[in-house]
Amino acid sequence: MNRTRFNKIVGLSLFLGLFLACGNKPKTDLGYDYEAAASFFAADESFHPILDEELEVFTRVFNRNAVHQDTLKALYTSEQEAIEMLMKNETWLAFTTRSLTEKELSNLKARSFAPRIMPIGYDGLAIIVNNVNTDTCITVKDIARILKGEVTSWSDIYPKSKLGKIEVVFDNPRSSAVRYCVDSILGGQPINSDMQENIGAMLKSAEVVDYVERTPNAFGIIGSNWLNDQRDTTNVTFKKNITVMKVSRLDSATVQNSRRPYQYYIYNGSYPLVRTIYAIINEPRTGQPTGFANFCRLPQGQRVIFNAGLLPIMRDLNVRQVNVVK
């Protein structure tokens, strides 16, 4: 298995070679290079699919009549790295699943900035397993037990399972998925990765999907927007190469009380692992970063979120009951 462990890379900065040129540009007497920071946004890598679609539509709509077309670029990294870049004036826009802390807000305001934090939608944190795994329902409590290291084998949760050790894999050790698990599932307790060899991280969500697809005992944790089958306009079909587990809030998971991160179950609150997607703007003037963040909340931008199977912040949805005849 070729992946990086939490206990080996937590605290290390990612090498952002693509944007080293931005960091080397001379700063103004204000302490930042506005144009360099305005040329791209930083985002948690789990939002790569949805933000690429948003950026494509935004560019097509607002730049089609421009004589000189300056295209906003995207840098997909970890959530923590994106926020750090925002705090250092290296970018004016970051997409995350958390707001700024009081300390971060105070820091920016003390430097005469006026940050804005705008929710743009909701997604679900998805639990994925290999298709050979027949145990497809799990409780939030059991997810917590796995991350705490209280259980390490599939048979500890499902006595009849023969899959052996649970191989937990995240997208990135500093990602929004890791932070959500610590804050919302473990109640602020750290993931027990230092003492366990079965909890680790890749660097990209696609690598998590690939690892789970080829590893029978894997347990992947990623953002749900990586999983929707784009051929299905009803947003009720996930990728066929892996299985998305159903998750229950109750102490015992059954088919009846467990849900997958479908759009409707995020909408009605029955899926328990839901995250808010934020656009955090710190731009000192109104440029493309501010325009793009605002676009994500406009009807066209919200439609992109809806069509991707996520839940728009403007949730005026028509829900219809249908009978499925097999």
Side-chain angles (χ1 to χ4, degrees):
M1 178 174 62
N2 183 18
R3 61 176 178 162
T4 311
R5 300 290 179 182
F6 282 131
N7 55 325
K8 292 183 181 179
I9 69 173
V10 166
L12 295 181
S13 296
L14 293 179
F15 178 71
L16 304 176
L18 181 61
F19 289 95
L20 282 178
C22 294
N24 292 331
K25 290 184 178 181
K27 293 184 178 181
T28 68
D29 55 358
L30 296 175
Y32 55 78
D33 183 341
Y34 170 80
E35 295 297 339
S39 65
F40 71 100
F41 64 82
D44 186 88
E45 190 272 339
S46 66
F47 299 129
H48 190 163
I50 183 65
L51 289 179
D52 268 5
E53 290 186 43
E54 290 279 15
L55 190 56
E56 180 182 352
V57 177
F58 171 77
T59 302
R60 185 170 65 245
V61 170
F62 289 97
N63 285 353
R64 61 188 173 190
N65 296 322
V67 176
H68 176 67
Q69 182 169 320
D70 293 321
T71 303
L72 189 68
K73 296 180 175 59
L75 171 60
Y76 296 110
T77 180
S78 68
E79 179 175 81
Q80 189 55 37
E81 185 73 27
I83 291 174
E84 288 171 2
M85 295 182 75
L86 187 85
M87 297 299 297
K88 292 186 290 187
N89 303 333
E90 293 174 352
T91 185
W92 303 123
L93 174 60
F95 289 91
T96 69
T97 61
R98 75 166 175 87
S99 181
L100 294 176
T101 65
E102 288 299 321
K103 183 177 180 180
E104 289 163 343
L105 281 169
S106 297
N107 180 293
L108 293 174
K109 290 177 181 178
R111 292 188 280 139
S112 300
F113 289 105
R116 285 163 291 160
I117 302 161
M118 304 192 313
I120 65 168
Y122 305 91
D123 84 329
L125 194 68
I127 308 300
I128 61 175
V129 294
N130 188 275
N131 282 340
V132 304
N133 194 334
T134 58
D135 297 303
T136 59
C137 296
I138 193 168
T139 66
V140 175
K141 181 178 178 180
D142 281 334
I143 296 172
R145 291 171 66 206
I146 292 170
L147 298 178
K148 289 177 183 177
E150 295 174 357
V151 298
T152 57
S153 296
W154 283 103
S155 59
D156 294 334
I157 302 174
Y158 310 101
K160 295 181 180 180
S161 177
K162 301 184 184 303
L163 292 177
K165 182 184 289 187
I166 301 171
E167 290 281 354
V168 182
V169 58
F170 285 92
D171 49 354
N172 188 296
R174 304 181 80 200
S175 73
S176 60
V178 173
R179 185 202 54 77
Y180 181 93
C181 287
V182 170
D183 291 351
S184 300
I185 297 179
L186 299 180
Q189 298 179 37
I191 293 171
N192 187 10
S193 59
D194 289 338
M195 300 300 294
Q196 290 182 256
E197 285 297 311
N198 68 313
I199 297 181
M202 302 294 190
L203 289 176
K204 297 180 179 180
S205 298
E207 294 175 353
V208 177
V209 176
D210 290 343
Y211 183 79
V212 170
E213 182 181 3
R214 66 176 185 269
T215 309
N217 59 331
F219 183 91
I221 304 177
I222 62 172
S224 62
N225 79 109
W226 275 91
L227 302 176
N228 286 342
D229 188 335
Q230 298 301 313
R231 296 167 298 180
D232 177 17
T233 58
T234 65
N235 292 325
V236 296
T237 304
F238 290 123
K239 293 185 183 240
K240 300 291 194 300
N241 53 337
I242 47 87
T243 297
V244 180
M245 295 194 84
K246 295 181 178 181
V247 182
S248 174
R249 286 192 176 89
L250 303 182
D251 289 340
S252 178
T254 66
V255 173
Q256 290 73 28
N257 67 27
S258 305
R259 299 289 183 266
R260 292 189 174 99
Y262 293 134
Q263 198 172 55
Y264 177 68
Y265 294 139
I266 295 174
Y267 171 74
N268 70 9
S270 58
Y271 186 72
L273 309 179
V274 176
R275 312 181 298 175
T276 304
I277 307 170
Y278 294 98
I280 305 178
I281 311 164
N282 194 44
E283 192 172 16
R285 65 180 85 156
T286 302
Q288 281 212 98
T290 298
F292 180 58
N294 288 331
F295 170 79
C296 292
R297 287 174 62 92
L298 293 176
Q300 284 175 299
Q302 291 286 285
R303 191 176 302 115
V304 171
I305 292 173
F306 176 80
N307 290 340
L310 306 185
L311 184 65
I313 199 72
M314 312 301 183
R315 297 185 291 175
D316 295 329
L317 304 180
N318 292 320
V319 179
R320 297 184 177 88
Q321 297 290 337
V322 297
N323 294 319
V324 179
V325 180
K326 294 184 178 180

